[in-house]
Amino acid sequence: MKHENFGKDCQVQLHTESKPFMKLVQETAAELKLQDKEDAFFLVDLGDIVKKVEMWRQCLPRVEPFYAVKCNPDRAVLRLLAHLGIGFDCASKKEMSEIVDLGVEPSRIVFAHTCKPRTDIRYAAQVNVDLMTFDNEEELRKIKAFFPSARLLLRILPPANFNVQYAFGDKFGCHQLQASSLLRTARDLGLDVVGVSFHVGSGVEEGEVYAAAVRSAATVFDEAHALGFHFHILDVGGGFFSAPAVFRPVAEVLRTALDLHFPEKRKVRIMAEPGRYFVEAAFSLTVTVIAKRRASPRVASNGNGVEGLEEKEAFEYYVNDGIHGSFHNVTLGVCNQLMEIRPVHPPENAKRHVSSLWGPTCNGGDKIFSDVMLPELQVGDVINFTQMGAYTICLTTSFNGIPRPLIFYHCCDTVWEKLFPTDRQTAEPEK
Ligand SMILES: *Cc1c(COP(=O)(O)O)cnc(C)c1O
C-alpha cells in the first residue's frame, strides 16, 4: 500500500479509484486487530473534500468560501483547504492562531463571532485579522477600544419562517429594523462598516431561506448607503448540506438571488462560511461491538393476575463510541440525515432485528440510536457510520476514560496526483 506524508503528523494512504470503500474499512479494522487494538476509528477521504471544493466553484463561482473551522478543526482538513485556496471563518483566538500557523494570509480569515472576548479582539489586531462581524452596540465599543481600524460586517437575523435543521434563534444577528440605529452608532464612533453577514442555520434543504436573507441584506445595503457608508461585502454564512442532490438546487436559488440583488456590476464581494458542506461526507466512523444483550423482557400479565416475562426479539449493542464522543451531535439533532449504519460483515441475507446502539460510558442516557434494523451481530463485529465529518470530532470528551477514535486518511491516487504533482516535486506544507 502506498502512503504519502501530508505534513509531519499525517500519512495518507493512496488507493485506486476502483477500490470499494468497505474493503478499506475491513482492511483497517483487520490491521488494528493484528495490533490487538479495538479503538473506534475515522476514515477520512481527503479526495471527497477536493470534490466538494470543485462542486462549490462550479455552482457558486461568485461566492468565496471561508470554511467554518468549528465544524471540524482536524489539522489535515485545514491544511488541505488552505492548500486549495479556501478562506477560513474563525470564532476564537485559538481558531485564528491555528490558521495563521498554517501560513494562511490574515486577509483569508473572517472573525465571524458577534460577541467576542476583548482579549480575542486584541489578538485579531495583533495578527491583522481585520474583517469581523458584530450585531450590537457594546461590541462596537469594544472594537473601537481594541481594533478601531477593523472592517466590520453587520450580522442580521435570517428570516425565521423556513425549515432548517438547526436554527440559531435569537442568539446572533440584529433585526433588520435595528440596522440603521447600529450603523449610526458605528458612524459616530468612526468605525468602518463594510457589509452585511447572516447565517441562516445549519442544514438547509430549501434555497428560499437564502433568497429571503439576500433580499433583506439588500435592504440594509440601501440604508447603509443612505447613511454614507460604502458597503461592498456580503457574507451569506453557512448551512449548506454536501449531498449534490440537495446542494445543487439550493445553490441555484442562492445564485439567482445574488444575480438579482447583487449583480456583478455592483462590484460587491460575495463570501460564505460553509462548515458541514466541506467535511460531512468525507468522514466515516467505524465502531466495535464491545457487549451485547437481549432487550429487557416485558413484564406481561396472563389476565389472571399472574405476571410473567415476555422475551422481545430485539438486541442491544454496546459500542466503543457514544454521545459523549463522536455522536454528541445526535443529542443536538444535527447528525446527518443521510447517515448510513452499515455492519461491516453482514451475514448474507441475514434476518434483521430491531436493535439499539448504546455508547460505552456509564451514563444511562448514552444511547446513540434505538429501533434500527440490523442483522444479529456478535461481540467484536464492527459497524461503519457514514457522513460523520460535521460536528463530531470537535464535540468529543474523554468522559469515563473512553479514548477518542483514531483517525486515518486516504485519497484516490489520481486526485492526489492532481493536488501534488510528483513531476513538479511540490513540497507538502510542513506544518
Ligand atoms: C457554525 C457556523 C457556520 C457553519 O455552519 P454550517 O452549517 O456547518 O455550514 C458558519 N457561520 C457561522 C457564523 C457559524 O456559527
Side-chain angles (χ1 to χ4, degrees):
M1 254 177 289
K2 191 162 184 269
H3 284 89
E4 286 279 343
N5 284 326
F6 185 40
K8 60 177 184 295
D9 49 1
C10 164
Q11 281 222 318
V12 183
Q13 184 190 327
L14 300 188
H15 54 79
T16 58
E17 196 158 11
S18 58
K19 179 154 188 164
F21 174 70
M22 284 308 253
K23 187 112 181 28
L24 205 63
V25 178
Q26 282 166 4
E27 284 172 5
T28 313
E31 177 70 25
L32 284 176
K33 208 167 179 178
L34 279 180
Q35 300 169 25
D36 256 333
K37 285 190 188 152
E38 213 174 46
D39 300 58
F41 61 87
F42 282 103
L43 284 179
V44 185
D45 180 3
L46 295 177
D48 188 79
I49 296 176
V50 176
K51 280 192 201 130
K52 295 296 154 30
V53 170
E54 285 167 359
M55 177 162 73
W56 182 283
R57 287 176 173 157
Q58 182 192 46
C59 295
L60 293 170
R62 289 181 61 203
V63 185
E64 293 169 57
F66 285 64
Y67 172 64
V69 173
K70 77 167 190 286
C71 179
N72 182 332
D74 178 77
R75 289 282 284 182
V77 168
L78 300 179
R79 207 179 283 138
L80 177 62
L81 289 170
H83 179 80
L84 291 166
I86 302 297
F88 294 90
D89 154 2
C90 298
S92 66
K93 178 178 168 178
K94 175 86 190 314
E95 286 183 356
M96 281 185 279
S97 75
E98 287 215 27
I99 301 303
V100 169
D101 282 352
L102 286 174
V104 173
E105 288 295 315
S107 62
R108 270 168 62 194
I109 301 175
V110 55
F111 190 0
H113 198 305
T114 61
C115 300
K116 300 173 274 297
R118 290 170 294 186
T119 46
D120 289 21
I121 301 174
R122 220 182 287 145
Y123 177 78
Q126 267 167 31
V127 293
N128 203 26
V129 171
D130 72 343
L131 186 62
M132 56 185 67
T133 61
F134 77 102
D135 63 7
N136 66 85
E137 237 180 86
E138 204 54 48
E139 197 68 11
L140 289 173
R141 293 185 207 292
K142 284 188 292 180
I143 294 169
K144 173 75 184 172
F146 298 105
F147 197 177
S149 63
R151 298 176 302 140
L152 311 182
L153 299 173
L154 173 61
R155 179 158 164 186
I156 58 172
L157 277 170
N161 46 337
F162 289 92
N163 251 343
V164 295
Q165 193 186 14
Y166 188 78
F168 283 74
D170 294 336
K171 184 166 177 185
F172 301 112
C174 75
H175 195 276
Q176 193 192 305
L177 298 173
Q178 297 170 296
S180 286
S181 126
L182 276 171
L183 289 175
R184 263 187 221 104
T185 307
R187 194 178 55 184
D188 295 346
L189 290 168
L191 293 170
D192 189 17
V193 188
V194 297
V196 172
S197 84
F198 56 76
H199 183 43
V200 296
S202 201
V204 175
E205 289 183 55
E206 36 176 10
E208 272 310 312
V209 63
Y210 289 105
V214 167
R215 262 198 305 280
S216 146
T219 312
V220 177
F221 263 65
D222 293 341
E223 288 171 8
H225 285 205
L227 289 168
F229 285 96
H230 174 62
F231 273 19
H232 53 94
I233 297 182
L234 172 66
D235 177 350
V236 300
F240 306 87
F241 274 125
S242 68
V246 183
F247 175 73
R248 285 180 187 278
V250 167
E252 179 62 25
V253 175
L254 171 59
R255 204 173 53 75
T256 309
L258 289 171
D259 288 346
L260 180 66
H261 298 284
F262 295 91
E264 252 169 289
K265 62 173 188 289
R266 260 185 99 164
K267 300 248 182 295
V268 171
R269 178 182 180 200
I270 318 272
M271 43 193 277
E273 302 162 352
R276 62 165 58 251
Y277 169 80
F278 282 124
V279 290
E280 60 189 353
F283 284 59
S284 84
L285 176 71
T286 304
V287 302
T288 302
V289 176
I290 54 174
K292 168 185 179 181
R293 303 197 312 178
R294 281 206 162 248
S296 305
R298 227 188 329 254
V299 178
S301 164
N302 68 358
N304 299 326
V306 181
E307 291 190 334
L309 291 181
E310 194 178 274
E311 292 287 345
K312 279 194 282 185
E313 257 306 291
F315 293 100
E316 320 233 9
Y317 299 106
Y318 297 69
V319 299
N320 55 356
D321 201 351
I323 67 160
H324 296 288
S326 314
F327 290 100
H328 185 67
N329 61 6
V330 172
T331 66
L332 301 176
V334 290
C335 94
N336 192 301
Q337 287 144 346
L338 297 176
M339 176 205 276
E340 286 179 65
I341 306 175
R342 307 184 291 189
V344 177
H345 303 280
E348 205 88 43
N349 304 321
K351 182 169 174 231
R352 298 194 166 235
H353 305 270
V354 177
S355 312
S356 302
L357 293 170
W358 297 85
T361 68
C362 298
N363 173 4
D366 185 4
K367 185 187 232 180
I368 311 170
F369 295 115
S370 18
D371 299 336
V372 288
M373 297 303 289
L374 294 173
E376 185 174 351
L377 302 171
Q378 310 302 333
V379 169
D381 282 353
V382 293
I383 310 174
N384 179 261
F385 298 79
T386 63
Q387 307 278 340
M388 284 292 286
Y391 306 107
T392 49
I393 64 164
C394 50
L395 294 173
T396 60
T397 69
S398 50
F399 178 52
N400 253 177
I402 308 298
R404 294 184 167 86
L406 305 170
I407 304 185
F408 301 108
Y409 304 91
H410 66 102
C411 188
C412 168
D413 48 13
T414 50
V415 176
W416 191 261
E417 175 64 25
K418 251 199 277 172
L419 273 176
F420 303 109
T422 36
D423 55 344
R424 278 199 296 135
Q425 288 293 311
T426 315
E428 279 101 55
E430 264 311 311
K431 287 173 185 138

